[in-house]
Amino acid sequence: MKNDVFSPSLGDTSGKVNLQELNESQYEAVTTTEGPVLVIAGAGSGKTRTLVYRVAHLVEQGVAPESILLLTFTRKSSQEMLWRAGRLLNENCNRVVGGTFHGVANMLLRRYGAQIGFGSSFTIIDRADAEGIINLLKSSLGLGKKDKRFPSRRAVINMISGSINKSIALADLIQEQYAHLAEHLEDILILCKHFHDFKYDHGLMDYDDLLVNWKRLLAEAPEVRRAISERFSHIMVDEYQDTNLIQADIIRLAADTHDNVMVVGDDSQSIYSFRGADFYNIMRFPKVFADTRIIKLEENYRSTQPILSFTNEIISNAAEKYTKTLFTKREGEQRPMVYAGTDERDEAAFVVETIRKLLARDIAPQDIAVLFRSSYHSYKLELELAAAGLDYEKRGGLKLTESAHMKDMLAFMRVLVNPQDTLSWNRILLQLEHVGPTTAQKISATIAAAADPFQTLAAYPAGKSWKDAYARLTRLFADLLAESRSPAALYEIVLAYYLPNFERLYSDDFPKRRKDIDQLKSIMDGYEDLQSFIDDTTLDPPEEEAASGKGVSRLVLTTIHSAKGLEFEAVFVIGLSEGRFPHASAVFGEQWEEERRLLYVASTRAKKYLYLTYPRQLMTPDRQFHRVGMSPFLNELSRGLYERIAERSRKDSDFFSYRATAVEQPEPVRKARSKKQELADFSLACRVSHPFFGNGTVVKISTGRSLDVMFDRHGLKTLHLDYAKLTII
C-alpha cells in the first residue's frame, strides 16, 4: 500500500547522526528544534540536506517519528528526504509523516471529514474532470448557447481556482482580471454555486477543495484542530515561498498548541504567483510567528563564484528581499557570457554552435539546458537543433493518467470506491454503442441517487439497441463485486471487458495507446487497496514514458518555471530582450519583481557555464520588425560581472574562442533624453512612443511615477517611468 507516510526499506542501519558534516548555518538550522524557525536557503545551498538531517536529529533526540510532519511540494521529494534520513539514523524514520499539502489533506479529511460534512469515500477529481463538470452544468443551465462570448469551461475553472488560491472573492477576481467578462458575472457566479453543490452532492473534491476543507476542518472543529496540533508537535515545510494564503493559514492553525514550525525557502525563487503562490508568505512569517529565528544558508555547492557574483547582483536590485550573498569554494573563473544575435535565427545559431563545442569538451547532452520564459520562445532554436541533427527533450506534456483511454480505465476503479461518482459513471456509459450523452446522464443520475447503486444499475431498463452491451456491463460489475480482490486482479477483469470498446473507440492508434494501459498494470501491482491507488494517481499522476526515450542522452529544453530545482553543467537563457524578458505586460510592481526572480532562478541553475542571449530584432504581434535592446535586468548589472561576445570565432580548434568586449550593442534608436523623466513632462492626451508597444496616447497620470497609455495596436498599458523608456512624440 502506498500512502503519504513513506516507509523506506532500510535493514539494520542504526547509527548516530554526524552533525559535523554540516556547515555552520546548516548546523544551526538542524539543531534549533524548538520554536519558529525561518531558513532562507539560497540556491544550491543544501536545503534538502538540512531538512534530512533535521528529521534524523529530531528522531535521535527522542521526538516520536509520528509527531513529525514534513510537507513538500512533490511526494517524490518527501520520499527521498525520509529515505535519506533513515539511512542517516535508523528505520524509526519510517514512521515520520511526509507528503504534499494535498496528500496530507486527503489523509486527514478521510479520517476527520465527517466533522465538516464529508464521508470518507469521497473521490478526488483532476482538472480535466472539473472542466467536464463545468461543461455539463453549462449545458444543463443553458449558459453560453446563444452568446459565444460566454467563457469556456477552462476559463471558468481558472477563475474559480484563482479566487480560491489567491483568497479573493470570485466577483472581485473577475472585475480585476477578467473585466471583459463582467457582463457574464451573474451567470458565472450561478455556475460556480452549481459546481460547488454538484461536487458536494456526488462526493467529489478537486485539488483546491482539499486545501479549503483542510483549513475548514482546522478552523471550524476546535477538537480536531487540537488533536492534529498535538499529534504533529514538529512541523517542517519545504519551498515555503511557493505556498498560497490557504496553505500559510493551515500551518498557523496546525501549530495551534505549539510554535515548533520550521519553514525553508528562498524569497528570491518565488516565481509561481500565477498558481496562487504568495511571495509575502515568506516575508511575513516572522510577524505571524513571534520570536522567529531567521537562519540564512549562503554557502553554495552548485555554481562557480563568477556565476554567483552575477546572480547576487541580479537579486540585489529587488525591491523586497531577505539580503543574502551566495559564496562558494568551487573553483572556476569563467564569467557568464552575453550574446546579442542580429535576430532570433542568429541567436539560435549561436546556441547550437556553442552546444557543439560543449559536447566536444565531453559535457554530456543531459548536462546542457536551454531555458526560456515561454514555451514558444524556443521555436527557432528547435529548427536549428533539428537541422544540426542534435537530439533534445522538451520538458512538459501530458501525465500518463490524463489521456482519454487511461481515464476510461480509471473510471471503473473510481466507481468501485465511490458509487456516487456520476462523472465516472457517465464516462463508462458513453463507451456503450448507441448510448448518447442524454441517456448516459439520466442513468448516471439514477444510479448515484440510489441506496444501492450497483443493484440499480443491474435493474435499469436498457434500450433495445444497447441492451446486449448494457447486460455485459452489468455482468462486469457483478464479477468485480463478487469477492474481495487486489487492485491488480481488478485490473485484469476490467481490461477483459474494456478491450473491445477500447479498440473501437481508438481505432486510429489503439496499439500505441495499449502501451499506456499495460503500464497501468505495473503501477497497480504496487498497491494493496484500491482507494490508495485512486488517490495517488489523482494527486501525483505518473509521467508518460517516452516511446523511444529510455536511456537516451538528450539536451534539455525547458521553461524556467519547469527548471526550478534542477541543475546543469551548462545553461543557456535565451530571449533576454527588452519587451520579452521581462514580459511586456510586467511593467512595474509585483509582476516586475517576479520577472527579476525568474531570471535569478534561471541563472542559478548553472554549475560552470552560463550563457545569456537575446535577439536585437523581434517581430511584434502585428508582424512588424522592431529593434530591441537587452533586458533591463541585464542592463542594470555591473559590466565586469559578464563578458559581451562581440564576434563568434570560426576556428573549430579554438574552444570558446570569443572576442569579449565591454562595448554595448547599439541601443534602439530613440530621441535622446538629457534628464530623468518626470510625470510633469507628460500631459493628458499627449502622444508617446514605446520601443515595444509603439505609439500611444496618455489617458491617465497617477502618483508613484506611473501613467496609463492607450496604445494604438496594443491597448491600455500602465507604465512606470523608471522602466518604460517612453519618448514624447
Side-chain angles (χ1 to χ4, degrees), residues 115-170:
Q115 298 290 327
I116 53 173
F118 288 95
S120 61
S121 62
F122 60 83
T123 295
I124 304 167
I125 61 173
D126 62 17
R127 186 183 179 90
D129 295 329
E131 290 179 6
I133 295 171
I134 289 293
N135 221 32
L136 185 69
L137 294 173
K138 277 176 65 178
S139 177
S140 63
L141 294 169
L143 299 175
K145 286 185 177 179
K146 296 180 180 179
D147 189 348
K148 299 298 183 183
R149 294 172 298 174
F150 193 84
S152 67
R153 59 187 177 180
R154 177 172 295 181
V156 172
I157 288 296
N158 283 342
M159 294 176 204
I160 294 172
S161 184
S163 71
I164 292 170
N165 283 289
K166 295 178 181 179
S167 296
I168 61 177
L170 179 58

Side-chain angles (χ1 to χ4, degrees), residues 226-263:
R226 186 167 58 254
I228 291 173
S229 181
E230 288 176 351
R231 175 184 174 183
F232 298 124
S233 64
H234 289 77
I235 300 173
M236 288 182 280
V237 187
D238 190 19
E239 304 285 11
Y240 193 70
Q241 78 281 348
D242 294 335
T243 55
N244 61 27
L245 284 170
I246 298 174
Q247 290 165 322
D249 289 342
I250 285 170
I251 296 304
R252 175 64 274 184
L253 290 165
D256 185 49
T257 62
H258 60 82
D259 280 346
N260 297 331
V261 177
M262 172 194 269
V263 299

Side-chain angles (χ1 to χ4, degrees), residues 536-547:
D536 284 354
T537 52
T538 308
L539 289 170
D540 191 19
E543 297 283 353
E544 185 172 10
E545 291 186 1

Side-chain angles (χ1 to χ4, degrees), residues 112-363:
Y112 299 110
Q115 298 290 327
I116 53 173
F118 288 95
S120 61
S121 62
F122 60 83
T123 295
I124 304 167
I125 61 173
D126 62 17
R127 186 183 179 90
D129 295 329
E131 290 179 6
I133 295 171
I134 289 293
N135 221 32
L136 185 69
L137 294 173
K138 277 176 65 178
S139 177
S140 63
L141 294 169
L143 299 175
K145 286 185 177 179
K146 296 180 180 179
D147 189 348
K148 299 298 183 183
R149 294 172 298 174
F150 193 84
S152 67
R153 59 187 177 180
R154 177 172 295 181
V156 172
I157 288 296
N158 283 342
M159 294 176 204
I160 294 172
S161 184
S163 71
I164 292 170
N165 283 289
K166 295 178 181 179
S167 296
I168 61 177
L170 179 58
D172 293 339
L173 179 90
I174 292 171
Q175 294 291 352
E176 290 176 14
Q177 298 183 23
Y178 300 89
H180 60 293
L181 298 174
E183 62 182 297
H184 301 295
L185 176 59
E186 188 175 341
D187 285 340
I188 295 171
L189 294 177
I190 291 171
L191 183 57
C192 178
K193 182 182 183 306
H194 278 80
F195 178 59
H196 177 80
D197 292 344
F198 182 97
K199 289 185 293 181
Y200 184 81
D201 292 343
H202 296 91
L204 307 174
M205 285 194 206
D206 59 29
Y207 298 146
D208 295 331
D209 294 328
L210 289 169
L211 297 183
V212 169
N213 290 323
W214 185 8
K215 179 183 172 181
R216 279 189 58 210
L217 184 66
L218 293 169
E220 299 174 16
E223 291 183 5
V224 175
R225 178 173 70 247
R226 186 167 58 254
I228 291 173
S229 181
E230 288 176 351
R231 175 184 174 183
F232 298 124
S233 64
H234 289 77
I235 300 173
M236 288 182 280
V237 187
D238 190 19
E239 304 285 11
Y240 193 70
Q241 78 281 348
D242 294 335
T243 55
N244 61 27
L245 284 170
I246 298 174
Q247 290 165 322
D249 289 342
I250 285 170
I251 296 304
R252 175 64 274 184
L253 290 165
D256 185 49
T257 62
H258 60 82
D259 280 346
N260 297 331
V261 177
M262 172 194 269
V263 299
V264 181
D266 184 2
D267 53 296
S268 301
Q269 297 187 67
S270 179
I271 59 173
Y272 293 113
S273 66
F274 65 95
R275 295 181 187 168
D278 191 332
F279 168 76
Y280 291 99
N281 278 351
I282 196 167
M283 303 304 292
R284 70 169 69 94
F285 184 86
K287 296 179 181 177
V288 174
F289 288 88
D291 301 319
T292 291
R293 188 166 178 175
I294 300 176
I295 301 169
K296 297 177 183 178
L297 305 184
E298 297 175 290
E299 182 172 356
N300 179 282
Y301 296 92
R302 175 187 300 156
S303 308
T304 59
Q305 192 59 51
I307 291 175
L308 295 181
S309 298
F310 178 84
T311 57
N312 283 338
E313 185 156 337
I314 289 174
I315 212 64
S316 71
N317 293 310
E320 294 185 70
K321 60 186 177 295
Y322 287 104
T323 302
K324 58 185 176 297
T325 303
L326 298 184
F327 66 93
T328 187
K329 296 173 184 174
R330 285 198 67 188
E331 294 182 358
E333 298 181 355
Q334 179 167 314
R335 290 181 292 172
M337 307 190 83
V338 175
Y339 178 73
T342 54
D343 54 22
E344 288 183 272
R345 178 172 290 180
D346 182 56
E347 177 189 26
F350 164 77
V351 172
V352 170
E353 178 185 327
T354 309
I355 286 173
R356 283 188 181 282
K357 293 179 178 179
L358 290 166
L359 293 172
R361 200 176 246 198
D362 292 329
I363 296 177

Side-chain angles (χ1 to χ4, degrees), residues 603-647:
S603 301
T604 52
R605 300 309 95 200
K607 294 181 181 180
K608 190 172 183 180
Y609 303 107
L610 176 61
Y611 301 91
L612 305 112
T613 71
Y614 68 96
R616 287 178 290 169
Q617 182 173 262
L618 278 177
M619 182 183 286
T620 58
D622 57 359
R623 302 192 65 78
Q624 298 294 314
F625 283 100
H626 285 263
R627 284 180 61 79
V628 291
M630 68 161 68
S631 165
F633 297 142
L634 290 180
N635 224 0
E636 67 189 10
L637 301 179
S638 303
R639 295 296 180 258
L641 292 173
Y642 60 85
E643 294 181 15
R644 286 296 295 258
I645 302 169
E647 182 180 324

Side-chain angles (χ1 to χ4, degrees), residues 430-443:
L430 285 173
Q431 295 173 22
L432 305 179
E433 281 193 282
H434 308 299
V435 172
T438 302
T439 302
Q441 288 175 28
K442 185 178 178 181
I443 301 173

